[in-house]
Amino acid sequence: MNPRLAAIAGRLKGSVFPLENPPILIGRETSANLCIADPSVSRRHSQIEKEGDHFVIADLDSLNGTFINDVPVKRRPLRHGDRVRIGDSQFLFLLHEGDAPSKSSEVKLDDRQIVSGSTMQVRFNDALYLMARDLSALMKVSTTINSMRGVEELQNRLLELLFEVVPAQRGAILLTQGNGLEGASVFGLDRDRGPDEAVRVSRAIAERVLQEGTTLLISNSLKEAGLDSESLSESQPFSLLCVPLIMFDRKLGLIYLDTSDKDVRFDNDHMQLVSAIAAITAVALENARHIEWLESENQRLLADVNIEHNMVGESPSMKHVYQFISKVAPTDSTVLISGESGTGKELAARAIHQNSKRASKPFIAVNCAALAESLLESELFGHEKGAFTGAFAARKGRLEIADGGTLFLDEIGELSPALQVKLLRVLQEREFERVGGAKTIKVDIRLIAATNQDLEQAITAGAFRQDLYYRLNVVELAMPSLRERKEDIPLLANYFAGKHAEKCNRKLVGLSPEAQARLLIYDWPGNVRELENAIERAVVLGTTERILPEDLPEAVLEIEAAPSTSAAGYHEAVSQTKRQIILDAMEKANGSYTEAARLLGVHPNYLHRLIRNLNLRDQLKR
């Protein structure tokens, strides 16, 4: 393992920084382990730490944030190949140099049959009790293989150790997936010629050893043993030894050794020694194989979320969104994205497009609720010259412009019945006519639709076609509301704070603990969009280097703080005063919202919101 950061962009481009003695401080101050002289980098920006076998990067409440693969993070383990962005600088986190070439010879299974043979067999259980002639060899094998984790490295070293104690010319290790040889992994080695020479293994011998679970030793010439002269191909082994690998009565595979040297003959001592070695290496080989499977499965799961997107969030619900996108993006299936307004449905649609084979083609978004029916029809399908008043020239619609790419229809539930029929035909046939035209136009598009409505209820009410719903709802992605993923609020808030501080050319360190506490107890009916608006307002109106509670919208401050929340006493006192004033007004108005609003000089809708935000409904019912 060679952990390091390789600079790929910024002032340090081309430099490589080893991560030998964590923690590694990254920042603008000269005492930092990795000093970046960049005004967009905080003095103490972030830090790389070691946790067990993993490296973890932690943001130190920096002004502009720390980004992993363009996603802002507070603390996250680093993976080989991750792209780290700090200010204007970008680095690649690297752990190893790359995949090493295979050290294995090609292993070929020979299908020709053995006619008969002079053989010696020993049961596996009996072999465990046989004394090997060289105890030091067993100790060496045991200590060596138990220090290795990679299957290929372990097999290569095992064959090398076997060559030290057995006069074999060729060796192979076969690890099975079940009871037979189908799908078995193979590793072979020629003592003299290395991995360049193919190692041939008799299928008949291998299957016999696996089936019976016994060691097979052929210790004389093929002709004397009664073997067909062609049975083991051109290599013509004079002696052959095949030993099963067994763990807890389960057959894992076998070790195969042979030699063509007529002056060398495998004997009973060789058989006992290799059987003993097989007994102690079976567990190590199975453990190594299991570890590799776990690592590959881990990489597969990590690859599921290693997608290009502009969404911010590390909560379980957002990880589910990323995994969904990674699975559906490579396909051409129609996707229906549901969720409340402001949850990022268009961002999810763009992520699906960016990670699809259509990424180089257009992504065209249309809001079906933003245009009148007549305008929306022309916008989608285009029109011919003279199709209606003002149509002075033919015009392509969004469907034609999106040809080869992705068409995103937001608020699909707002489509009129007539347009629903036309869209259904596009989904079924991938063809349409322009408004006022007769020529059929074919398009190759992927359709992604989004809605904040319950389309099944709309179908029941007769406002949405059932057949269109089934065409749209091939796969559905439900975007979580912000109140369902509150753990993402600090990340989002700091991300928006940095984004809008840069636009306003304002120096901002982050949010105060009191302001963050207020954000966490608010329900955010407008979701991420409302949060961004609140942070932008705070950035514009604030005067200090941190966002304070008084910089936040009043709706956020009106929420009653939980007892454990470390909110500022001033804002608590204001909230308590508001609650008492409203309760007094409602008592004077005998419970009438309209009369109480008149006494307070506010609109009744505003009074309703105050009562809801201040949690006064239960008190008013008493």
Side-chain angles (χ1 to χ4, degrees):
M1 191 166 67
N2 181 22
R4 60 205 184 280
L5 286 178
I8 58 174
R11 303 182 181 210
L12 302 174
K13 183 178 180 181
S15 303
V16 177
F17 302 92
L19 307 177
E20 295 175 348
N21 298 306
I24 306 296
L25 176 64
I26 304 173
R28 198 174 69 248
E29 67 179 30
T30 55
S31 61
N33 304 94
L34 202 170
C35 179
I36 306 175
D38 180 350
S40 64
V41 176
S42 300
R43 290 177 58 255
R44 298 174 62 84
H45 197 104
S46 55
Q47 182 170 282
I48 296 178
E49 305 163 0
K50 190 80 179 295
E51 289 186 358
D53 294 333
H54 302 286
F55 286 84
V56 175
I57 190 165
D59 185 80
L60 303 178
D61 293 327
S62 63
L63 175 63
N64 293 320
T66 301
F67 295 77
I68 304 296
N69 302 322
D70 292 326
V71 176
V73 299
K74 291 299 291 180
R75 185 178 183 85
R76 177 182 287 185
L78 287 168
R79 303 187 299 267
H80 178 73
D82 274 348
R83 182 162 43 86
V84 181
R85 175 157 61 87
I86 296 174
D88 294 331
S89 299
Q90 292 194 50
F91 306 85
L92 279 181
F93 175 72
L94 302 173
L95 272 175
H96 47 77
E97 303 295 340
D99 297 331
S102 174
K103 300 176 182 178
S104 169
S105 298
E106 180 186 4
V107 177
K108 295 182 178 180
L109 288 171
D110 198 307
D111 291 322
R112 285 165 285 191
Q113 300 298 313
I114 300 175
V115 177
S116 62
S118 174
T119 65
M120 182 181 295
Q121 298 183 24
V122 60
R123 290 286 170 188
F124 172 76
N125 290 335
D126 296 336
L128 295 178
Y129 301 101
L130 295 174
M131 293 299 294
R133 64 177 180 183
D134 195 342
L135 182 59
S136 64
L138 284 176
M139 293 296 297
K140 183 176 182 180
V141 169
S142 179
T143 55
T144 301
I145 64 171
N146 284 307
S147 65
M148 297 180 178
R149 292 181 61 182
V151 175
E152 183 174 310
E153 181 187 12
L154 197 157
Q155 292 177 118
N156 182 78
R157 187 68 181 120
L158 176 57
L159 287 176
E160 290 176 345
L161 291 171
L162 285 169
F163 288 161
E164 291 181 10
V165 294
V166 178
Q169 287 183 325
R170 291 167 294 273
I173 298 174
L174 281 68
L175 298 178
T176 64
Q177 300 298 328
N179 293 324
L181 292 175
E182 297 304 321
S185 67
V186 294
F187 187 96
L189 192 64
D190 186 291
R191 179 197 290 266
D192 300 320
R193 302 180 183 179
D196 296 330
E197 183 71 14
V199 175
R200 296 183 179 273
V201 176
S202 168
R203 182 183 295 274
I205 289 177
E207 288 179 344
R208 178 175 171 181
V209 167
L210 283 176
Q211 182 178 0
E212 298 179 2
T214 59
T215 295
L216 181 62
L217 171 63
I218 300 174
S219 58
N220 48 9
S221 68
L222 294 178
K223 289 183 179 181
E224 292 175 359
L227 296 178
D228 183 355
S229 61
E230 296 296 320
S231 65
L232 294 176
S233 73
E234 297 84 358
S235 60
Q236 293 293 307
F238 187 80
S239 283
L240 182 151
L241 179 59
C242 194
V243 181
L245 292 162
I246 299 178
M247 183 180 74
F248 305 124
D249 296 325
R250 186 160 63 91
K251 299 159 188 172
L252 307 179
L254 57 87
I255 297 174
Y256 170 90
L257 301 169
D258 75 19
T259 179
S260 301
D261 189 344
K262 295 181 180 180
D263 297 327
V264 174
R265 181 171 298 185
F266 297 159
D267 56 26
N268 190 51
D269 287 345
H270 294 132
M271 181 180 65
Q272 292 180 13
L273 179 58
V274 177
S275 296
I277 290 173
I280 64 176
T281 56
V283 175
L285 282 165
E286 179 67 0
N287 287 341
R289 187 161 60 165
H290 186 61
I291 289 171
E292 284 198 352
W293 179 85
L294 289 174
E295 290 176 346
S296 66
E297 183 69 6
N298 186 45
Q299 290 299 319
R300 184 190 69 77
L301 293 173
L302 291 173
D304 283 348
V305 297
N306 190 22
I307 58 172
E308 292 184 32
H309 63 84
N310 294 317
M311 292 175 283
V312 176
E314 297 180 358
S315 61
S317 55
M318 286 306 295
K319 289 178 180 177
H320 173 74
V321 170
Y322 303 148
Q323 290 173 356
F324 176 92
I325 291 173
S326 71
K327 289 179 174 64
V328 78
T331 72
D332 265 340
S333 299
T334 301
V335 182
L336 178 62
I337 305 175
S338 60
E340 299 175 7
S341 294
T343 51
K345 295 188 289 294
E346 183 170 344
L347 287 177
R350 288 185 182 274
I352 292 172
H353 173 73
Q354 289 169 3
N355 293 278
S356 73
K357 59 187 177 183
R358 299 175 181 267
S360 60
K361 300 295 183 180
F363 176 88
I364 305 298
V366 180
N367 190 327
C368 299
L371 298 171
E373 179 183 347
S374 57
L375 292 176
L376 182 58
E377 182 179 15
S378 174
E379 187 74 15
L380 284 175
F381 301 99
H383 60 257
E384 297 291 351
K385 180 179 179 181
F388 49 82
T389 303
F392 300 112
R395 179 177 178 272
K396 288 184 177 181
R398 296 299 183 96
L399 282 165
E400 283 184 78
I401 298 173
D403 190 27
T406 302
L407 178 67
F408 173 60
L409 297 181
D410 199 4
E411 304 302 345
I412 192 74
E414 301 295 334
L415 275 183
S416 67
L419 286 181
Q420 289 181 34
V421 174
K422 286 196 168 187
L423 181 61
L424 181 61
R425 184 190 170 201
V426 173
L427 285 171
Q428 290 174 333
E429 309 296 338
R430 292 298 195 267
E431 63 182 32
F432 64 94
E433 290 85 33
R434 290 178 183 168
V435 176
K439 179 184 176 183
T440 299
I441 301 171
K442 288 190 171 289
V443 288
D444 171 26
I445 61 168
R446 180 184 195 169
L447 185 69
I448 302 177
T451 182
N452 61 3
Q453 300 181 19
D454 187 334
L455 292 185
E456 292 185 351
Q457 286 187 4
I459 292 169
T460 304
F464 202 82
R465 293 181 63 96
Q466 189 175 47
D467 48 2
L468 177 58
Y469 173 72
Y470 290 139
R471 283 285 180 180
L472 291 171
N473 193 26
V474 177
V475 285
E476 182 179 3
L477 169 62
M479 293 297 293
S481 63
L482 190 53
R483 61 182 169 276
E484 295 172 326
R485 55 182 188 110
K486 288 199 169 185
E487 57 265 55
D488 288 333
I489 289 177
L491 269 181
L492 286 161
N494 281 287
Y495 172 70
F496 292 138
K499 172 183 172 182
H500 292 291
E502 185 178 353
K503 286 183 179 179
C504 299
N505 195 26
R506 182 187 161 194
K507 183 179 179 181
L508 195 66
V509 174
L511 284 77
S512 69
E514 296 81 10
Q516 184 166 298
R518 285 291 179 175
L519 296 180
L520 288 170
I521 61 175
Y522 184 58
D523 268 349
W524 300 106
N527 294 295
V528 179
R529 186 181 295 123
E530 184 185 5
L531 174 62
E532 181 173 8
N533 291 342
I535 297 299
E536 183 178 6
R537 175 189 187 275
V539 171
V540 172
L541 298 180
T543 56
T544 64
E545 65 178 6
R546 289 184 180 271
I547 292 177
L548 303 176
E550 51 262 37
D551 300 329
L552 299 172
E554 191 170 343
V556 177
L557 299 178
E558 287 167 355
I559 296 296
E560 183 179 10
S564 60
T565 302
S566 59
Y570 165 76
H571 297 288
E572 280 301 304
V574 170
S575 295
Q576 290 291 348
T577 303
K578 283 183 179 181
R579 281 191 283 271
Q580 192 57 52
I581 291 172
I582 292 170
L583 290 172
D584 291 344
M586 289 295 291
E587 184 179 356
K588 290 179 182 178
N590 295 318
S592 170
Y593 282 83
T594 304
E595 179 62 19
R598 188 188 65 79
L599 291 173
L600 293 171
V602 299
H603 194 278
N605 290 345
Y606 180 61
L607 178 60
H608 276 281
R609 194 191 78 182
L610 284 171
I611 291 172
R612 183 180 68 250
N613 288 347
L614 294 171
N615 293 327
L616 293 175
R617 292 194 184 279
D618 291 340
Q619 295 183 52
L620 292 173
K621 290 178 182 178
R622 295 171 186 169

